Amino acid sequence: QGTIAVQAGTLALGGGGAIEGAVIEEDGAVLEYVGTGSEGQGALELAPGGRLLGGGVFSVGGAGLFYATGGTIDVAMSVHVHAGVARFDAPTAVGRMALHGGALDGPAALAIRTSFDWTGGSIHSRGGAVIEPGANATVRGVESKRLSGLFRNEGELVLRDAALTVAGAEAVLHNATGAVMQFTGRVTALPLEPLPGLLVNHGSLMVTSGGNADLRPVMLSNTGSVAVSAARLLLGDGESTGTIAVASAATIEVHGNLRVAGVGTADAVVDLASDGFLRFLSGVSELAGGCRRAGAGTVVGDNVASLIVSGCRFEPDVLVQVAGGEARFTAPTDMGRFALAGGVRTGAAAVVVSR
């Protein structure tokens, strides 16, 4: 309940207890919890009135539990989780957070105001780890990382050469309005599980360089913008009522059931640059009413995909190519260019080709 000052070096706590007063850490100093206990039996609690102050590092390791039921953490302090569990039972804000192992958990939100580095471990938190506006976050590396709770980006999030499992009934990777989520290098959502997680995009989602972004195991809900400027974006199931843009020499592959449809008077736009491709390879997908295909790229139905066209409008320079599977037209459709190179064209509606 008093004050502990860590002026240099490391103060290691292994027996648990409660922080109800102030712990002051100078820059470069470390407070390390390496306990093995559970709640009430050797865990470390940040209790109401407790304060972690200064610009040092608070580190959670071992196999124990650190849990916050109140109190505050200085935004100048870095919080590192290497093992064990950091649980937030009360809303808590931190400046810099690193998750290298162990887990973030709890019913309350963890607000991250400056930076977040995720290289290993899990986010189970129902309250969510929230990257606040102006903050930046990185998910990187091939080490196991699992999201089964809420991870909400309101700032800038970069997934770089990362493997990430997003699975479970409460698993949501959420990109908020005004936020930026960028995939660079080879990014893989692994593996396909009975309860896939959800990728919600209200902001800007970009695939920018090298490798592939393989998001087949997650369900996409897009009301913002998805832009693929290099390589490939692989999608599974989902729905888009926002904008999808594919640059020249880039590709989106659909391996599940994707529905593209407008809402009210707002179009769901797919803008394909020349030599940009939207390929449907499996599943049953629909280009519905309010969908508009722009640009001069190519929409391809191939392999075993079933592509339903039920009201989508095609600008004259877009090429629609059926190379395999089924293309079913259930509403009258005008288009500039159409090629039947394989598969089958079905449906009772007329298709008028102007070029």
Side-chain angles (χ1 to χ4, degrees), residues 126-295:
R126 300 185 306 281
V130 181
I131 310 302
E132 292 198 331
N136 59 78
T138 302
V139 180
R140 58 189 176 92
V142 297
E143 293 80 5
S144 175
K145 292 174 288 294
R146 184 179 182 90
L147 175 63
S148 57
L150 172 62
F151 185 24
R152 178 180 171 88
N153 175 46
E154 299 176 357
E156 184 172 348
L157 170 62
V158 176
L159 295 95
R160 180 182 298 113
D161 293 318
L164 174 64
T165 297
V166 183
E170 297 181 335
V172 180
L173 179 58
H174 190 153
N175 196 44
T177 301
V180 176
M181 182 183 297
Q182 179 180 344
F183 295 84
T184 181
R186 189 175 184 86
V187 178
T188 306
L190 290 172
L192 184 62
E193 297 198 4
L195 285 175
L198 184 63
L199 170 57
V200 177
N201 179 50
H202 297 311
S204 177
L205 189 155
M206 300 184 295
V207 180
T208 57
S209 63
N212 300 317
D214 187 351
L215 304 181
R216 286 176 292 179
V218 299
M219 295 185 65
L220 172 68
S221 176
N222 175 51
T223 63
S225 65
V226 175
V228 182
S229 61
R232 292 188 302 166
L233 171 62
L234 282 65
L235 297 175
D237 295 343
E239 182 173 21
S240 177
T241 59
T243 299
I244 297 173
V246 182
S248 180
T251 301
I252 292 179
E253 291 183 2
V254 179
H255 295 260
N257 308 314
L258 178 67
R259 186 173 190 268
V260 181
V263 177
T265 60
D267 287 342
V269 178
V270 178
D271 191 353
L272 304 174
S274 179
D275 294 325
F277 290 87
L278 174 61
R279 297 183 180 275
F280 296 90
L281 297 178
S282 62
V284 179
S285 293
E286 182 179 8
L287 306 179
C291 161
R292 177 165 61 88
R293 287 296 187 271

Side-chain angles (χ1 to χ4, degrees), residues 116-137:
F116 179 55
D117 185 28
W118 188 4
T119 63
S122 303
I123 297 177
H124 303 310
S125 173
R126 300 185 306 281
V130 181
I131 310 302
E132 292 198 331
N136 59 78

Side-chain angles (χ1 to χ4, degrees), residues 68-106:
T69 58
T72 58
I73 301 174
D74 197 324
V75 294
M77 183 173 291
S78 296
V79 179
H80 295 178
V81 179
H82 297 276
V85 176
R87 194 182 77 202
F88 297 90
D89 297 337
T92 305
V94 299
R96 296 184 296 273
M97 166 70 74
L99 180 60
H100 300 311
L104 301 179
D105 206 346

